[in-house]
Amino acid sequence: MKIILTFGSIHIDLVYSVKELPLKGQTVVSKKFETFFGGKGANQAVAIRRMGTDLTMIGKVGDDANGDKTIENLITNQINVDLISKVKGVATGVG
């Protein structure tokens, strides 16, 4: 029986769509804002699962709403989250 463990970052990605990158000191208005599940470790876990392999994700998230959402997303993607822990008083990473 093979066991795959994936460990690494588990984040929420914040994406602002703009027509052009701002110059130094310039403010650019975003026409669109989206959030995505991310983190290199979590992305790898989802990719491995989508290839049909069972795995367990190892990592930590904050004890905030984003931490709950990221764990729920992994569960939705049929990833074992038994080894993901929540860190009290810490926010889940964003990028």
Side-chain angles (χ1 to χ4, degrees), residues 37-38 46 68-79:
F37 296 105
V46 171
D68 294 337
K69 289 176 189 176
T70 57
I71 291 173
E72 288 170 16
N73 177 61
L74 293 169
I75 292 169
T76 297
N77 281 280
Q78 300 176 324
I79 295 168

Side-chain angles (χ1 to χ4, degrees), residues 13-84:
D13 292 335
L14 310 176
V15 179
Y16 294 87
S17 298
V18 296
K19 289 185 178 182
E20 58 195 36
L21 293 176
L23 301 173
K24 184 177 180 179
Q26 180 184 22
T27 299
V28 176
V29 177
S30 172
K31 298 292 183 181
K32 186 176 181 184
F33 170 73
E34 297 176 278
T35 61
F36 298 95
F37 296 105
K40 290 180 183 171
N43 289 344
Q44 290 172 357
V46 171
I48 291 166
R49 181 64 193 120
R50 288 181 180 172
M51 290 189 300
T53 303
D54 292 333
L55 71 134
T56 296
M57 176 78 198
I58 301 171
K60 293 184 179 189
V61 296
D63 66 345
D64 57 357
N66 282 338
D68 294 337
K69 289 176 189 176
T70 57
I71 291 173
E72 288 170 16
N73 177 61
L74 293 169
I75 292 169
T76 297
N77 281 280
Q78 300 176 324
I79 295 168
N80 182 341
V81 297
D82 291 346
L83 298 178
I84 295 176

